[in-house]
Amino acid sequence: MRPGRADTTRAPTDTGFPVLVTGGAGFLGVAVVRRLRAAGRQVTVVDDGSAGTLRRLREFADDADVVHHRTSVCDADAVAELHHAVRPWAVIHLAAKHFIPECERDPGETGRVNVDGTASLLAAWRAHRPQRFVFASSAAVYADSTRPLSERSRCAPPTLYGRTKLAGERMVHRHAARRGVAALSVRLFNLYGPGPTVEHLVPTALAQARAGGPLRLGDLRTVRDYVYVEDAADAVLALLAQGATGRVNVGTGRGTAGRDVVAGILEILGLPGTAVFDPARTRACDSPAVVADIRRLRTLLPAWRPVQLHEGLSRTARSPDQEGLRRTARAPDPRQRVVSRERGTGPGPAAEASPAAPAGGPEGVPSAAPRPPGGAG
């Protein structure tokens, strides 16, 4: 091993090895930051607040080892400056536009955040090369299939979001191979849990069931692999510590139809309800089934055991954050400067980036108007 290079075969035990997390205020991001801190890691969060979720960082307000930079991953100069100043041992890149209907409505911005934002992180390796890079990819990279999807399944994304994620994967792995970085793409399946940032099936069905009346939803015949967000964070951190490379599905290996998700939610809430098909809530492109083949994940993480869907839905329904976040996800929290240390690297773009610059958390950037969820997504 060359002098000055960390051992990439194992996670360092010294707490001075910092980790940079983009989209760290997002749905998955906060769970990842929480686990990094529990492991004693110093964490630098890059999140510009455009998803309106910066209030999530309040729990780290008194933690000197969590530093938030309110800047965009698309600001290449700021990102390079941060790499030079922080010199992260690892980067976990979660920031993206995620909500598929919004991605389709604004393809230019989707490409800018999901592809150009990833490129700016890779270009920053000229300032400092991390030892490990984890890229949050998606099951959306796969072609439609009626069979469980393995990492070797054909990639032919039917959506713009999926195409940007596949482009990001390819950039990351090409760049990492040239620079000697251990790179991993985690292909996340349908995340759910407390405090979602976009109106997917689970939060929408919970909100409508509590409001009473019929539940107006999309195509509930579609089958998805639902992964509790806390379990996904556990998997990401375990894979990072292990030094896994390549592509890994993060799912449960179990598919559930949307109608069964809704039935489970009504049972948990103890409420009556009827689901009514609403054509306005369907997507133009919605795969009938998206279920993970998780044999590689089981090989890498034999001890990882995700919660059963019913238990995860129960935890989600009991969470006080379930309702509140959907109201605050519309605009940045005006109290952000109180709850987050926005440290720049000195005068320059990292410290002065505009709060309006896009770089949402892993679920994307909700617009001001409510949008329909598609199918069982």
Side-chain angles (χ1 to χ4, degrees), residues 72-377:
S72 169
V73 292
C74 298
D75 187 336
D77 291 339
V79 169
E81 185 180 343
L82 273 174
H83 272 68
H84 179 72
V86 176
R87 303 186 70 78
W89 167 73
V91 174
I92 303 176
H93 180 30
L94 306 178
K97 285 179 69 71
H98 164 86
F99 192 55
I100 288 176
E102 181 180 284
C103 291
E104 299 293 337
R105 283 195 296 269
D106 196 348
E109 186 66 2
T110 300
R112 193 178 85 86
V113 175
N114 294 6
V115 180
D116 296 347
T118 301
S120 75
L121 285 167
L122 302 180
W125 293 1
R126 290 193 294 268
H128 169 75
R129 175 177 54 188
Q131 295 299 305
R132 296 182 188 167
F133 190 95
V134 177
F135 176 67
S137 187
S138 169
V141 302
Y142 291 116
D144 286 348
S145 175
T146 57
R147 301 174 62 84
L149 298 158
S150 80
E151 292 83 359
R152 294 187 177 89
S153 295
R154 186 169 71 95
C155 288
T159 64
L160 173 65
Y161 169 66
R163 292 192 290 274
T164 62
K165 282 299 180 182
L166 186 59
E169 277 192 20
R170 289 170 174 169
M171 283 194 305
V172 165
H173 290 282
R174 282 198 304 267
H175 206 73
R178 290 197 299 267
R179 302 300 296 273
V181 174
L184 172 69
S185 290
V186 287
R187 290 176 172 171
L188 301 165
F189 282 67
N190 282 55
L191 301 188
Y192 73 98
T197 55
V198 293
E199 296 172 2
H200 286 152
L201 176 63
V202 171
T204 300
L206 277 166
Q208 291 191 16
R210 286 176 169 136
L215 283 66
R216 298 190 169 275
L217 302 166
D219 186 354
L220 296 181
R221 297 170 299 176
T222 55
V223 174
R224 296 292 183 266
D225 189 332
Y226 290 91
V227 191
Y228 191 62
V229 65
E230 302 288 340
D231 292 331
D234 286 337
V236 168
L237 268 296
L239 291 165
L240 172 69
Q242 191 180 94
T245 59
R247 281 86 169 168
V248 179
N249 287 338
V250 176
T252 66
R254 299 183 296 269
T256 305
R259 59 177 172 266
D260 295 325
V261 173
V262 173
I265 287 171
L266 292 171
E267 177 189 346
I268 288 164
L269 295 178
L271 296 173
T274 303
V276 176
F277 175 67
D278 184 350
R281 294 181 177 272
T282 61
R283 295 176 183 172
C285 183
D286 208 8
S287 301
V290 183
V291 180
D293 177 332
I294 59 170
R295 282 176 289 184
R296 183 166 193 235
L297 182 65
R298 283 177 176 150
T299 298
L300 292 169
L301 304 180
W304 184 73
R305 293 289 185 272
V307 300
Q308 296 289 326
L309 179 60
H310 190 276
E311 173 60 23
L313 290 174
S314 296
R315 295 181 188 180
T316 304
R318 292 194 301 267
S319 169
D321 201 27
Q322 180 60 34
E323 292 297 328
L325 185 59
R326 295 179 68 229
R327 291 192 296 270
T328 61
R330 303 308 184 196
D333 186 339
R335 295 170 292 179
Q336 169 56 22
R337 293 184 180 275
V338 176
V339 302
S340 168
R341 275 178 297 281
E342 300 181 68
R343 297 181 188 172
T345 56
E352 300 168 4
S354 167
E363 298 75 39
V365 185
S367 68
R371 294 176 308 279

